[in-house]
Amino acid sequence: MNYIWEVVGRQPTGQQPSGAETIQKLCDRMASSTLLEDRRDAVRAIKSLSKKYRVEVGTMAMDHLLRILQSDRTDTEILGYALDTLYNIVCSDEEEEPEENQQKQEDDLGARFTEEFIGEPDNITLLLTLLEEFDFHVRWRGVKLLTVLLKSQCAPVQSIVLVSPMGVSRLMDLLADSREVIRNDGLLLLQQLTKGNTAIQKIVAFENAFERLLEIITEEGSSDGGIVVEDCLLLLLNLLKNNSSNQNFLKEGSYIQKMKPWFEVGDDNSGWSAQKVTNLHLMLQLVRVMVSPVNSPGATASCQKAMFQCGLLQQLCTILMATGVPADILTETINTVSEVIRGSEVNQDYFASVNAPSNPPRPAIVVLLMSMVNERQPFVLRCAVLYCFQCFLYKNHKGQGEIVATLLPSTIDASSISAGQLLCGGLFSADSLSNWCAAVALAHALQDNLTQKEQLLRVQLATSLGKPPVSLLQQCTNSLSQGSRVQTKVGLLMLLCTWISNCPIAVMHFLHNQDNVPFLTGQISENLGEDERLVQGLCALLLGICIYYNDNSLENYTKEKLKQLIEKRIGKENFVEKLGFISKHELYSRAAQKPQPAFSAPEHMLFDHEFTKLIKELEGMITKAVLKSSEEEKKEEEVKKTLEQHDSIVTQYKELIREQDCQINELKEQVASLTSQSETLQSTVTQQFSQMQQHKDQYNILKLKLGKDGHVNSLQTEEQSRLRKKLEELQRQNQLLQTQLTERDSLMTRGNVIVSSNDQIDSQIVKKLFSKYYLIKKAPVRVRGVTVVECRKERGLRKRCASLNNTAVKELMEKELSSATSSAAVMQTEKSKLQQELQESKKEQDDLLMLLADQDQKILSLKHRLQDLGETVRSSETGDQRKTNCR
């Protein structure tokens, strides 16, 4: 107190002022001081008094503290004192344990100051703004203050945060704070913020909350983690429960796959800590939220599929069959597996294949049923096993057939325990809870399955040695009439009602026993206690089913005779009253809420969820069937027959309409194909029309070229005659050129022969002189007369050679040699000249060929023009053929 008096400004003398006076002076100091240090000291002093004088501080100082938060934003120390003071005002002291009345007063006081604080929405906005401060004391105390405000007035604070700009985002930033204290308190804040507010839950989820929370759980050790893991799981439950949008977001984000490592339990399961049990329990609840029966069927089915594909279901089944698992975790695991497989054919088939690690291995279903019919097992565990069996058979006709098959004589294996044997044993045991559970389980094996209802009629039971076996149906009715407990009677009656409903053959078998109908009428007509009234109502339901689904195959128990029996012995109004008592029962309404059996005590275990659906379906129909008179029934039968006739007529018309629809579809297809063909032909016609138009345009252009004044025909004839004359003239020139070319060719041939002869003469003269005359004789005649003179010389030389002697011959030969040499020189000169002429002739020949090719091209073009004009042109050789002939 000395420190406070120093802040106030004087020492205590005499009588000390009251707490209210001191607080008032401190408030004046806060409001009037200009120095930041003075205001800080005043706020610190008020903080120290806030717990003891909570009412006075809240009444006098709250406005001043809020102004401090607004005006002194730069000083984190004074902000921390102000936030601490506000926290003390709105929150009761948690360290003390006040009495009940005092605690109530404290809570009322906190609610009052909270309402005053949030009366101005800007105060919450200011608090959200302060959360952006990085200073530890400001941020941490701001988080604690906002958390306690949410605890006290959740909905109003949620509304203000929701409309505040970036309000939720600022709070989500707390999860990213590196200081664990702020992060952990931020988790608690978000838990309060997300309670019951779908809009805020969606915003938090889309602020990447799932990713961050799963990271924190992994960092903290998953199921082996501490209280932080529990807080994260509680926040996840808030975000997902009854929020289909967030559930879908979790599934689409592949976060289900990240849950699998949570359930990896080792071989050594001894020594589970309480925190681990709590964490794993919350994890199992999180899985159940995703596959809850209250969710939409599509969302549940997709989550079940994802859990099977990622191996989560397999991991849960491993925990289910493991040893050393605590009872409450085992119970919750059974419930979780139940909802993961409920209505999913793939998951149900997998569960049917799971075996317990025993020697020899036994199916998991058999092991679970052994626990269900064992009266020494915990009650909640037995309820969980029953729920698992119900979920396994839900919409699973294959599984129903397998269970019923274990009861049939042809499939019973005496060496092993089957599910059917366990159910029959539990059905007729001394434990009433086992009777009820086995009856409900067997009823689920018959649910909506007419085939299995008929198959179960074949089951025979051996009651005792020396006595013939009795049917299962008869044994149930025998047990019912032997004065069993109410729970056993209710279970057996539910089984019988499910069995014979919508099954006329089972109704006939039930009525065939002469004792059944008198027993039912006796039970209904008696005046029994409150507990037995439910049994009377179920007996009335069973008898009503026998009337409604009766096919009148038994003469003594037709519909009409049973109704007369009810009217005589019970009374129709009394019968309807007893029947209506079922749906008015308190436990009936509880069981109708959800599929899972949830009972506080074994004696409350009377109704099954699926059976409540059957009652809703049959109660009205049975009431109408009993109250109707015979005349009304006849009229109804006539109406039914008429309706059946109408239905047959409607069916015929439907078939006719179906056939006509098929014909119409075929005709539509034909029309479509013909339309496509028509479009194709139309496009072809259009193309041809455009081509014709183009030809017409070309023809018109050609007519314009040939003449303009309407004398097209005459001009065309003149043009044709002129072109014909020109063609004939070119043909004559062509023939003349061919003649010249032929002469040139012959001349060139002769020149080549002469040149080759001269070459031979030169070589022979050098080698052998005496053969000169012989070679000259063989030489061809030249064009210019040179060879004639040589021949004459040859004849003269022969004559002279005969008369001359050898000397004269030599001299003469020498002279002749010189003369022949000179002649060879002359011939060589002639050879050169002829070669030159040959080259010139070749050049002339090439020129002629070029000219001939030009003439052929002109002729060809003229022919084409004549053909375009419509004239018939005589076929003749082409220019290439002429060239070939010339060569």
Side-chain angles (χ1 to χ4, degrees):
M1 290 297 291
N2 291 333
Y3 168 76
I4 298 173
W5 290 118
E6 289 177 0
V7 174
V8 172
R10 63 180 179 86
Q11 293 290 337
T13 58
Q15 186 178 3
Q16 295 182 356
S18 64
E21 292 175 353
T22 304
I23 293 169
Q24 183 61 50
K25 290 182 179 181
L26 291 173
C27 291
D28 295 339
R29 185 81 173 270
M30 279 192 298
S32 60
S33 296
T34 58
L35 294 177
L36 179 61
E37 290 80 2
D38 294 340
R39 293 195 300 275
R40 186 189 304 125
D41 292 340
V43 174
R44 183 166 58 245
I46 287 180
K47 174 199 166 189
S48 63
L49 296 171
S50 60
K51 290 186 178 181
K52 185 176 181 180
Y53 299 101
R54 184 180 178 189
V55 178
E56 292 80 0
V57 172
T59 305
M60 293 184 286
M62 183 177 288
D63 293 337
H64 298 289
L65 293 172
L66 291 172
R67 278 194 293 272
I68 290 293
L69 294 177
Q70 293 174 350
S71 59
D72 294 329
R73 291 284 301 276
T74 56
D75 187 66
T76 57
E77 188 176 357
I78 194 173
L79 291 176
Y81 293 148
L83 291 171
D84 255 349
T85 306
L86 290 170
Y87 176 80
N88 292 335
I89 293 171
V90 299
C91 179
S92 60
D93 193 356
E94 297 178 356
E95 296 179 359
E96 300 179 359
E97 294 183 2
E99 297 179 359
E100 185 177 352
N101 294 333
Q102 186 180 355
Q103 180 65 40
K104 185 178 181 182
Q105 293 176 0
E106 294 287 341
D107 292 341
D108 293 340
L109 192 59
R112 171 190 146 192
F113 287 130
T114 301
E115 289 178 1
E116 185 178 344
F117 185 89
I118 67 176
E120 185 62 39
D122 291 339
N123 294 336
I124 300 295
T125 305
L126 174 63
L127 191 56
L128 291 172
T129 307
L130 291 175
L131 291 179
E132 294 181 346
E133 292 288 341
F134 187 73
D135 183 77
F136 174 78
H137 296 286
V138 176
R139 201 171 200 187
W140 179 49
R141 289 163 179 165
V143 170
K144 291 177 67 179
L145 177 57
L146 188 55
T147 303
V148 75
L149 291 173
L150 282 165
K151 286 181 179 179
S152 181
Q153 298 288 332
C154 186
V157 178
Q158 285 177 334
S159 302
I160 298 172
V161 173
L162 189 59
V163 299
S164 177
M166 301 294 292
V168 179
S169 299
R170 289 170 179 167
L171 298 178
M172 283 299 299
D173 292 338
L174 298 173
L175 297 182
D177 200 307
S178 59
R179 295 161 293 193
E180 291 187 1
V181 175
I182 295 178
R183 184 199 68 182
N184 297 342
D185 284 344
L187 288 170
L188 299 176
L189 171 60
L190 290 171
Q191 284 181 26
Q192 298 297 326
L193 182 68
T194 55
K195 280 184 178 179
N197 194 307
T198 306
I200 293 179
Q201 290 169 1
K202 290 180 181 179
I203 296 173
V204 171
F206 282 97
E207 287 285 345
N208 206 24
F210 293 137
E211 183 73 28
R212 182 60 186 141
L213 291 173
L214 291 175
E215 288 177 358
I216 295 173
I217 291 172
T218 304
E219 292 170 2
E220 295 292 329
S222 297
S223 60
D224 294 323
I227 190 67
V228 178
V229 174
E230 180 182 349
D231 292 337
C232 291
L233 293 170
L234 288 172
L235 179 54
L236 284 171
L237 284 172
N238 283 352
L239 295 175
L240 293 172
K241 202 167 186 179
N242 300 324
N243 194 320
S244 58
S245 175
N246 284 359
Q247 291 173 8
N248 185 61
F249 183 70
L250 183 77
K251 179 183 67 69
E252 295 296 334
S254 300
Y255 294 113
I256 292 178
Q257 290 81 340
K258 297 181 181 180
M259 295 182 185
K260 180 188 174 185
W262 296 353
F263 305 101
E264 292 178 356
V265 179
D267 296 333
D268 185 13
N269 293 321
S270 60
W272 285 52
S273 64
Q275 188 61 57
K276 181 175 182 179
V277 171
T278 302
N279 291 344
L280 198 56
H281 196 273
L282 291 172
M283 290 173 178
L284 292 169
Q285 285 185 0
L286 196 61
V287 175
R288 292 186 65 184
V289 165
M290 298 296 295
V291 293
S292 174
V294 300
N295 297 342
S296 64
T300 301
S302 60
C303 290
Q304 289 173 334
K305 181 180 179 182
M307 289 177 183
F308 175 77
Q309 291 176 346
C310 73
L312 181 58
L313 174 60
Q314 293 84 330
Q315 202 67 44
L316 292 174
C317 291
T318 302
I319 298 176
L320 195 67
M321 295 292 105
T323 57
V325 180
D328 51 349
I329 293 297
L330 181 60
T331 302
E332 190 64 22
T333 304
I334 294 172
N335 289 329
T336 305
V337 171
S338 304
E339 294 182 351
V340 173
I341 67 174
R342 187 176 189 268
S344 174
E345 183 180 356
V346 176
N347 294 3
Q348 289 168 340
D349 291 342
Y350 170 77
F351 183 72
S353 65
V354 175
N355 289 322
S358 59
N359 191 14
R362 289 176 178 172
I365 298 174
V366 173
V367 175
L368 292 175
L369 288 177
M370 291 172 69
S371 300
M372 186 186 73
V373 298
N374 187 352
E375 57 183 315
R376 290 176 293 180
Q377 292 293 337
F379 172 66
V380 290
L381 179 62
R382 299 174 73 180
C383 292
V385 173
L386 175 61
Y387 183 47
C388 183
F389 191 73
Q390 291 173 349
C391 292
F392 170 68
L393 297 178
Y394 182 71
K395 294 183 179 180
N396 184 8
H397 286 202
K398 178 182 176 183
Q400 290 174 328
E402 291 173 353
I403 297 297
V404 173
T406 58
L407 288 167
L408 298 178
S410 58
T411 57
I412 292 178
D413 185 5
S415 62
S416 62
I417 300 175
S418 65
Q421 293 172 358
L422 290 171
L423 291 176
C424 282
L427 189 63
F428 305 113
S429 69
D431 180 29
S432 61
L433 184 60
S434 298
N435 300 153
W436 190 92
C437 291
V440 171
L442 196 55
H444 277 262
L446 307 175
Q447 195 77 36
D448 299 327
N449 196 327
L450 180 61
T451 303
Q452 302 311 323
K453 290 178 182 180
E454 296 175 356
Q455 287 292 322
L456 199 63
L457 295 172
R458 297 169 50 201
V459 176
Q460 299 290 322
L461 300 178
T463 55
S464 60
L465 293 175
K467 291 185 179 181
V470 296
S471 66
L472 177 61
L473 182 66
Q474 182 61 44
Q475 184 62 26
C476 289
T477 56
N478 292 341
S479 299
L480 191 62
S481 61
Q482 289 173 358
S484 305
R485 296 180 183 177
V486 172
Q487 191 174 40
T488 302
K489 288 182 179 180
V490 171
L492 291 171
L493 286 170
M494 286 195 297
L495 172 61
L496 290 172
C497 290
T498 305
W499 190 348
I500 70 173
S501 65
N502 199 23
C503 183
I505 297 177
V507 171
M508 182 189 70
H509 278 73
F510 180 79
L511 295 176
H512 188 73
N513 188 344
Q514 302 294 328
D515 298 330
N516 290 340
V517 174
F519 169 75
L520 293 178
T521 55
Q523 287 286 320
I524 299 170
S525 60
E526 287 183 4
N527 293 322
L528 302 175
E530 186 70 23
D531 295 338
E532 295 289 339
R533 291 183 65 187
L534 178 59
V535 176
Q536 287 181 322
L538 291 173
C539 288
L541 178 66
L542 183 60
L543 187 57
I545 293 173
C546 292
I547 294 172
Y548 189 80
Y549 292 105
N550 195 333
D551 58 358
N552 297 324
S553 57
L554 293 177
E555 185 179 354
N556 295 331
Y557 294 108
T558 61
K559 285 184 179 182
E560 186 61 30
K561 289 184 178 181
L562 287 175
K563 288 167 63 176
Q564 291 175 0
L565 185 64
I566 290 173
E567 189 173 2
K568 289 179 180 179
R569 294 190 179 181
I570 303 171
K572 291 184 178 180
E573 289 78 8
N574 190 25
F575 179 86
V576 173
E577 181 183 354
K578 297 291 178 68
L579 181 63
F581 179 78
I582 302 174
S583 57
K584 295 176 183 178
H585 200 280
E586 180 184 359
L587 296 177
Y588 173 88
S589 58
R590 290 184 187 178
Q593 292 176 0
K594 56 182 181 179
Q596 182 183 0
F599 305 101
S600 57
E603 57 269 14
H604 295 160
M605 212 167 183
L606 293 177
F607 285 103
D608 173 58
H609 177 75
E610 292 296 327
F611 185 70
T612 59
K613 293 181 180 179
L614 182 66
I615 293 174
K616 289 179 183 178
E617 179 185 351
L618 295 178
E619 185 178 359
M621 297 188 295
I622 291 173
T623 301
K624 290 180 181 179
V626 171
L627 294 178
K628 285 177 186 175
S629 62
S630 58
E631 295 179 357
E632 290 177 347
E633 281 193 354
K634 289 179 180 179
K635 290 181 180 179
E636 230 178 64
E637 289 179 359
E638 292 177 358
V639 170
K640 283 184 179 179
K641 290 180 180 179
T642 306
L643 289 175
E644 288 176 358
Q645 293 176 357
H646 285 301
D647 289 339
S648 63
I649 295 172
V650 170
T651 304
Q652 293 177 0
Y653 277 114
K654 284 182 179 179
E655 293 177 357
L656 179 61
I657 291 170
R658 195 176 293 109
E659 292 177 359
Q660 291 177 349
D661 285 339
C662 294
Q663 294 176 0
I664 289 171
N665 291 330
E666 292 177 358
L667 292 174
K668 284 182 179 179
E669 292 176 358
Q670 293 179 4
V671 168
S673 62
L674 292 174
T675 303
S676 61
Q677 293 177 5
S678 175
E679 291 175 354
T680 305
L681 294 174
Q682 188 66 32
S683 61
T684 306
V685 170
T686 305
Q687 291 177 359
Q688 292 179 354
F689 182 76
S690 61
Q691 291 177 0
M692 290 174 60
Q693 191 65 34
Q694 291 176 1
H695 291 318
K696 286 181 180 180
D697 295 340
Q698 292 176 0
Y699 178 71
N700 293 331
I701 292 169
L702 185 60
K703 286 198 298 183
L704 291 174
K705 287 182 179 179
L706 295 174
K708 298 180 180 180
D709 298 328
H711 302 288
V712 179
N713 292 331
S714 59
L715 291 175
Q716 184 176 1
T717 305
E718 293 176 359
E719 180 69 18
Q720 290 177 358
S721 60
R722 184 176 64 79
L723 291 173
R724 196 175 289 109
K725 289 179 181 180
K726 189 172 183 180
L727 178 62
E728 292 175 355
E729 183 179 355
L730 289 173
Q731 287 177 350
R732 285 196 299 272
Q733 291 178 1
N734 188 20
Q735 291 176 357
L736 180 60
L737 289 173
Q738 285 183 353
T739 304
Q740 293 177 0
L741 184 61
T742 303
E743 293 176 355
R744 288 288 182 180
D745 288 340
S746 61
L747 183 59
M748 288 172 64
T749 303
R750 291 172 60 191
N752 289 331
V753 172
I754 292 171
V755 171
S756 61
S757 299
N758 289 337
D759 292 336
Q760 292 176 1
I761 290 171
D762 290 339
S763 61
Q764 292 297 328
I765 288 174
V766 175
K767 292 181 180 179
K768 291 183 181 181
L769 184 61
F770 62 88
S771 60
K772 168 183 174 292
Y773 300 103
Y774 177 74
L775 291 173
I776 292 173
K777 183 178 178 181
K778 290 180 65 178
V781 180
R782 292 185 181 174
V783 177
R784 296 184 178 181
V786 179
T787 56
V788 177
V789 176
E790 293 298 328
C791 291
R792 291 176 181 175
K793 287 182 179 181
E794 182 181 352
R795 286 194 297 269
L797 287 173
R798 286 178 180 177
K799 292 179 181 180
R800 290 174 65 183
C801 285
S803 59
L804 292 178
N805 54 16
N806 293 334
T807 304
V809 171
K810 288 181 179 180
E811 293 177 357
L812 182 59
M813 294 285 288
E814 290 176 356
K815 291 180 181 179
E816 290 295 333
L817 179 59
S818 59
S819 176
T821 302
S822 60
S823 299
V826 172
M827 294 176 67
Q828 187 66 31
T829 303
E830 284 293 328
K831 175 183 174 184
S832 299
K833 291 180 179 179
L834 289 172
Q835 286 179 347
Q836 186 176 1
E837 291 178 358
L838 179 62
Q839 294 295 329
E840 292 176 355
S841 298
K842 285 182 178 180
K843 289 180 179 180
E844 291 178 359
Q845 184 182 10
D846 292 337
D847 293 339
L848 288 172
L849 288 172
M850 292 292 292
L851 180 61
L852 183 61
D854 291 340
Q855 293 295 328
D856 285 341
Q857 190 65 33
K858 288 181 181 180
I859 293 169
L860 185 61
S861 63
L862 291 172
K863 282 182 177 182
H864 288 166
R865 289 185 63 184
L866 288 173
Q867 289 176 355
D868 292 339
L869 294 171
E871 288 294 326
T872 302
V873 182
R874 180 177 58 84
S875 60
S876 60
E877 293 179 337
T878 62
D880 292 337
Q881 290 173 340
R882 292 193 184 94
K883 288 180 185 178
T884 305
N885 293 334
C886 292
R887 290 175 185 172

